[in-house]
Amino acid sequence: EPPVVAIVGATGVVGREVLQCLEDRGTPVASIRLLASARSAGQTLSFKGAHLPVEEVADHQFDGVNIVFFCAGATVSRRYAPVAAKAGAVVVDNSSAFRMDPTVPLIVPEANGSQIVPHAGIIANPNCVAAIATVVLAALQRCWSISRLNLVTYQSASGGGAAAMDELRDATSAKLNGDDYAPNAMPHPYAFNLFSHNSDVDGETGYNGEELKVIEETRRILSQPKLPIGVTCVRVPVLRAHSIALSVRFDHFVDVEQVRARLENAPGVRLVDDRDSNHFPMPSEATGEYDVLVGRIRRDLGDPTGHTIAMFICGDQLLKGAALNAVQIAETLLALGAAQEAA
Ligand code: 2RA
C-alpha cells in the first residue's frame, strides 16, 4: 500500500519543492508528515488542496514512516537521518552528509538507479551540478568510454537557498532603481556580478568545496573513481536553473551526429540544439522543467585529437538538481518495493 512519507525541512525552498513534486506527479502516498525546526513549526503547507500542519522535528516523529525526505542541511541530517532509519524508514537525504559514505547509495535514477539497492536505510541525493551533469554523462557513457571531463558551471541563486533567491530579487531591483544595496545573504554583490560561491578553498588544489563535491560525486555516480575532472563553479545572477559548459573527452573519435542522436533519446534529457535559429539551452526555458536541456553539441576545437565533444546544459536546480531527483529515488524504491522492505 502507499507509503507514509515525511519531509524534514518542509518549509525550506527544497522541502516545498519536494511537496509540490509529490502532488504534481501523483506519487502515491498514504499520508505526509511535515517537519521543521521549532522556528518554522506551526505553519501549514498545502498539498492536494488540504492544509497540512508543519510540526517540530523530534525523534518520535519517524515512528510508522516509510520514506523520509531530508531537506534541511547536513547538520540536521546527521542528527536525525540515523534515527529515522532506525525507526524503519528509508531516508532520501538531500544534504552532503552521507554522499561519500560507501554504505549509502548516491543515486541519479537515469544514471545509476540500479545501484539503489542494497541500502542500509539511507540514500543520498547528489549535489545539484553532479545530478544535472550525470543525467547527460551517463547516457554518453553507455555508448562510449569517457576519459576526462571539464565543466564550467553557472549556478543559480536557488543553490544558496531562499535567502539567496530573495537577495537576487532585491539586489537586482535596487540596482535598477539606483538604490544603494549592501549584500547580506550572499558573500558578494549579487546583481550584475559573478562570484565563486563558497569560501572553503582547499589549500593544496585551490579548488573550493563545491568544485570538489562535483568531482567526487560525478566520479562515484559514473563508477569511474579515477576519472580526471576539471571544474570551475561560478554563482551567477539567475534565479533557479543551473547551466554547465561541459567538455567530454572520449577514448576515441566520436561523431558529433552520433552524440546528438544518443542524447535525443536519452531519459531525462531534452535536446535544444538549433543552430539556424540560435536556439540553445537557457535557464529561462529550463526553469520548472523536469528534463535537462542539452545543446551547442560540437567538436571541441581545443583538443587536437578530435576526441572531445563540447556542449551546454541547463537544468532546474530545485527539480532535477534536488527535489525531483529525490522524489524519483523514492519512486524507484517504491517500484522495487524496497521502501516497505526497509520498514
Ligand atoms: C549550490 N550546489 O548551488 C550548491 C548547493 N545547492 O550552492
Side-chain angles (χ1 to χ4, degrees):
E1 72 281 0
V4 174
V5 168
I7 302 174
V8 177
T11 59
V13 68
V14 174
R16 290 170 186 270
E17 206 69 35
V18 167
L19 193 61
Q20 192 61 55
C21 274
L22 291 170
E23 177 170 332
D24 293 347
R25 298 170 65 81
T27 309
V29 297
S31 63
I32 294 193
R33 197 170 298 174
L34 303 179
L35 303 172
S37 63
R39 180 168 45 86
S40 302
Q43 303 178 43
T44 61
L45 294 178
S46 77
F47 179 72
K48 294 185 178 175
H51 293 282
L52 304 183
V54 178
E55 301 168 83
E56 185 176 353
V57 62
D59 289 7
H60 71 271
Q61 292 280 21
F62 304 108
D63 297 343
V65 177
N66 300 115
I67 296 178
V68 187
F69 296 96
F70 273 77
C71 312
T75 305
V76 172
S77 291
R78 284 193 197 97
R79 166 65 181 80
Y80 288 105
V83 173
K86 195 165 175 355
V90 178
V91 167
V92 181
D93 183 19
N94 200 62
S95 84
S96 57
F98 305 102
R99 287 179 186 153
M100 301 313 288
D101 179 331
T103 69
V104 174
L106 179 67
I107 300 297
V108 175
E110 296 91 336
N112 64 344
S114 61
Q115 294 169 26
I116 204 164
V117 287
H119 63 73
I122 298 177
I123 295 163
N125 206 35
N127 163 282
C128 36
V129 170
I132 290 167
T134 52
V135 173
V136 174
L137 289 167
L140 300 175
Q141 186 193 45
R142 277 195 276 278
C143 295
W144 305 289
S145 175
I146 295 174
S147 56
R148 67 164 290 197
L149 297 177
N150 243 307
L151 303 89
V152 177
T153 74
Y154 309 80
Q155 295 179 231
S156 55
S158 55
M165 296 174 83
D166 290 342
E167 170 135 352
L168 173 57
R169 292 185 185 100
D170 299 347
T172 304
S173 53
K175 204 83 173 175
L176 292 174
N177 299 333
D179 302 339
D180 288 337
Y181 187 88
N184 47 54
M186 300 304 281
H188 304 297
Y190 224 128
F192 311 105
N193 190 29
L194 310 175
F195 57 85
S196 291
H197 65 294
N198 50 9
S199 57
D200 50 340
V201 177
D202 173 71
E204 193 189 322
T205 63
Y207 276 59
N208 64 39
E210 180 73 1
E211 291 159 347
L212 294 174
K213 277 188 190 121
V214 171
I215 293 170
E216 286 173 350
E217 294 181 32
T218 301
R219 286 175 174 166
R220 192 168 177 219
I221 294 162
L222 296 179
S223 300
Q224 288 192 247
K226 300 277 184 241
L227 181 63
I229 301 177
V231 58
T232 301
C233 290
V234 178
R235 183 73 83 200
V236 298
V238 167
L239 203 52
R240 60 172 280 175
H242 282 353
S243 302
I244 305 169
L246 173 65
S247 272
V248 187
R249 182 183 164 96
F250 298 98
D251 281 353
H252 48 76
F253 184 90
V254 177
D255 185 75
V256 171
E257 284 314 310
Q258 284 184 317
V259 170
R260 186 173 283 114
R262 174 73 192 103
L263 293 176
E264 194 151 34
N265 301 302
V269 173
R270 178 150 60 88
L271 203 61
V272 181
D273 199 22
D274 185 338
R275 296 180 181 179
D276 296 337
S277 62
N278 192 36
H279 186 204
F280 300 111
M282 295 180 285
S284 59
E285 293 187 355
T287 296
E289 291 293 320
Y290 287 169
D291 286 341
V292 170
L293 312 186
V294 187
R296 298 298 322 279
I297 302 168
R298 63 202 192 281
R299 196 157 308 287
D300 185 330
L301 299 180
D303 176 4
T305 72
H307 293 183
T308 300
I309 301 291
M311 61 195 77
F312 193 69
I313 295 172
C314 287
D316 187 300
Q317 187 268 338
L318 293 175
L319 288 172
K320 193 54 196 174
L324 171 66
N325 198 70
V327 169
Q328 288 171 324
I329 287 172
E331 290 170 351
T332 305
L333 285 169
L334 293 171
L336 290 171
Q340 268 72 6
E341 267 168 34

